[in-house]
Amino acid sequence: MDITKLILSIIDVAACLFLIAVVLLQSGKSAGLSGAIAGVADTFMAKNKAKSWDAKLAKMTKWVAIGFMILTFVICLL
């Protein structure tokens, strides 16, 4: 195994573990009081959802998953 593939594999495993951690840190869609109430769209929390910790985790999950898939594909091509 050449050194480039080894380094990319180590980064791939680290990205995999980070992706698992980010997914596990997210709360469920029905977590809390907002999931129990049907009319959530007009509340203060719904308006500021883009700035919440869950929104940041969701955005981070998307980017880490894309990076993980691309990195895994590159490793397969080597």
Side-chain angles (χ1 to χ4, degrees):
M1 181 182 285
D2 63 343
I3 196 75
T4 307
K5 194 168 184 179
L6 178 67
I7 291 172
L8 288 176
S9 296
I10 292 171
I11 294 171
D12 195 41
V13 169
C16 173
L17 293 174
F18 185 70
L19 183 62
I20 291 170
V22 169
V23 169
L24 288 176
L25 284 173
Q26 292 181 15
S27 61
K29 295 290 182 188
S30 64
L33 184 61
S34 64
I37 301 172
V40 172
D42 295 332
T43 64
F44 177 74
M45 292 300 288
K47 292 178 183 176
N48 292 323
K49 188 166 181 153
K51 298 178 184 176
S52 71
W53 181 246
D54 285 333
K56 291 177 185 176
L57 284 174
K59 188 182 290 187
M60 199 181 316
T61 301
K62 292 173 191 169
W63 286 108
V64 173
I66 290 169
F68 175 71
M69 288 186 293
I70 291 172
L71 188 59
T72 304
F73 184 69
V74 168
I75 291 172
C76 287
L77 291 177
L78 291 179

